[in-house]
């Protein structure tokens, strides 16, 4: 991979990691509701989960989904249903740090990592990265470089969203503002399904 191609890959990784999507909306809401420190496992789960997905796509899973459209459709449906469930949970959250809500907690590492497998944006990012930047003559090396690029860029990018959520905690300590913020985040999270449904 040339230096120009690798720099273009870094830009692609940054733009796709920092722009709004299911992960970033959930991190924003988690930063508000639970704080930055308690959201760290969620952020790490996203980064590691996406890395594993990226490697799987790079080493052949993308071809399997292309060969079996029903499997791809099933994955999209499962992802969509789970995303709507998460959107509902975010929208119904009513207090900072779960005070007064016995089962309120930030997303765990394993949950966030597993979510990448049903996250429509993560699949698009992974398949596009491998299709555009992988070099057929050097498949292992190019998959490794693509994975390194995303690993370096992804965690700092998603951390910005949790940090922004943390910065909003003071403003959203008012229960009415927090209620409407969480409803808005739930609606935005559900709206991320729109590109998949078109």
């Amino acid at each position: 991979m040339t230096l120009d191609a690798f720099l273009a890959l870094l830009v692609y990784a940054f733009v796709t990691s920092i722009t709004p999507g299911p992960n970033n909306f959930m991190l924003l809401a988690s930063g508000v509701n639970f704080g930055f420190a308690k959201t760290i496992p969620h952020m790490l789960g996203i980064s590691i989960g996406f890395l594993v997905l990226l490697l799987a796509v790079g080493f052949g899973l993308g071809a399997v989904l292309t060969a079996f459209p029903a499997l791809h459709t099933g994955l999209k449906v499962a992802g969509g249903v789970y995303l709507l469930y998460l959107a509902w949970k975010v929208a119904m959250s009513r207090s900072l740090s779960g005070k007064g809500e016995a089962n309120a907690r930030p997303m765990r590492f394993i949950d966030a990592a597993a979510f990448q497998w049903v996250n429509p944006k993560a699949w698009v990012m992974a398949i596009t990265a491998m299709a555009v930047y992988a070099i057929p003559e050097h498949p292992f090396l190019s998959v490794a470089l693509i994975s390194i690029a995303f690993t370096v860029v992804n965690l700092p990018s998603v951390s910005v969203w949790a940090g922004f959520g943390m910065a909003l905690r003071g403003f959203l300590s008012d229960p009415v503002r927090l209620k409407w913020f969480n409803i808005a985040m739930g609606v935005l999270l559900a709206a991320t399904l729109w590109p998949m449904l078109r």
Side-chain angles (χ1 to χ4, degrees):
M1 184 178 296
T2 66
L3 180 60
D4 288 347
F6 189 71
L7 291 174
L9 170 61
L10 286 174
V11 170
Y12 172 76
F14 173 73
V15 170
T16 55
S17 295
I18 196 98
T19 52
N23 284 323
N24 292 337
F25 285 136
M26 287 191 297
L27 286 172
L28 179 63
S30 185
V32 166
N33 288 286
F34 304 106
F36 190 87
K38 289 185 179 179
T39 303
I40 289 173
H42 187 167
M43 292 183 282
L44 291 173
I46 289 169
S47 293
I48 301 300
F50 183 69
L51 173 62
V52 172
L53 175 66
L54 197 59
L55 290 169
V57 169
F59 290 123
L61 186 59
V64 170
L65 292 176
T66 302
F68 299 99
L71 183 61
H72 186 240
T73 301
L75 190 63
K76 284 173 69 172
V77 169
V81 169
Y82 187 59
L83 194 63
L84 289 174
Y85 165 74
L86 291 174
W88 176 257
K89 284 188 65 152
V90 168
M92 293 297 104
S93 180
R94 291 292 179 262
S95 60
L96 291 175
S97 300
K99 294 173 185 164
E101 293 180 39
N103 59 356
R105 62 171 173 75
M107 187 175 268
R108 296 176 302 181
F109 172 89
I110 194 70
D111 298 331
F115 175 68
Q116 303 321 298
W117 290 83
V118 294
N119 178 354
K121 183 181 176 187
W123 278 97
V124 169
M125 288 167 59
I127 290 170
T128 302
M130 291 303 167
V132 173
Y133 296 102
I135 302 166
E137 296 80 25
H138 304 286
F140 182 80
L141 180 60
S142 59
V143 168
L145 286 173
I146 292 166
S147 301
I148 288 168
F150 270 96
T151 301
V152 167
V153 168
N154 187 264
L155 185 59
S157 297
V158 299
S159 298
V160 168
W161 287 82
F164 185 54
M166 178 67 186
L168 289 174
R169 280 176 68 86
F171 176 74
L172 295 173
S173 60
D174 176 331
V176 174
R177 288 185 197 139
L178 181 65
K179 170 188 170 183
W180 288 109
F181 170 82
N182 284 333
I183 289 171
M185 288 299 99
V187 169
L188 287 171
L189 185 57
T192 63
L193 282 172
W194 177 247
M196 187 176 78
L197 299 174
R198 285 189 299 172

